[in-house]
Amino acid sequence: MQKRPLTPGYLFFYLIFLPDTWQILIAFITAVIVTPRILTPDVGAAGSAIVHVMVAGNVYVITRPIGRRISAFLKKLVLKRQGSR
């Protein structure tokens, strides 16, 4: 079987079909929104970075089922339409 060429379109669809992409995106957005609300004013830059990473890591693990559902929905939506041509 011949390898597919590595094009921007192929990379884009490969990434949106991965559950990890959605988990990372949700974790990043959650960390950016939640972390400033839970930090106290006496926390320095290093402490803030650690809390950001901890929040993002925990949300990444928790959102595994959500990432799978999103990618399954997109696969069904995109590949179903593509197959009907």
Side-chain angles (χ1 to χ4, degrees):
M1 182 174 217
Q2 189 177 11
K3 279 189 166 182
R4 293 184 57 102
L6 196 59
T7 62
Y10 179 76
L11 285 174
F12 173 75
F13 282 105
Y14 183 78
L15 288 176
I16 67 167
F17 291 151
L18 275 179
D20 292 330
T21 302
W22 299 105
Q23 287 178 258
I24 292 169
L25 184 65
I26 294 167
F28 177 76
I29 291 170
T30 304
V32 167
I33 293 171
V34 170
T35 303
R37 298 176 196 273
I38 61 175
L39 289 177
T40 58
D42 62 332
V43 176
S48 175
I50 290 171
V51 173
H52 271 88
V53 170
M54 286 176 25
V55 168
N58 288 326
V59 172
Y60 175 82
V61 171
I62 292 169
T63 57
R64 184 68 176 170
I66 296 170
R68 286 183 177 173
R69 284 190 200 125
I70 292 172
S71 61
F73 172 75
L74 289 173
K75 283 178 188 177
K76 187 185 298 184
L77 183 71
V78 172
L79 298 179
K80 180 180 171 185
R81 287 186 182 174
Q82 203 175 45
S84 64
R85 288 182 182 182

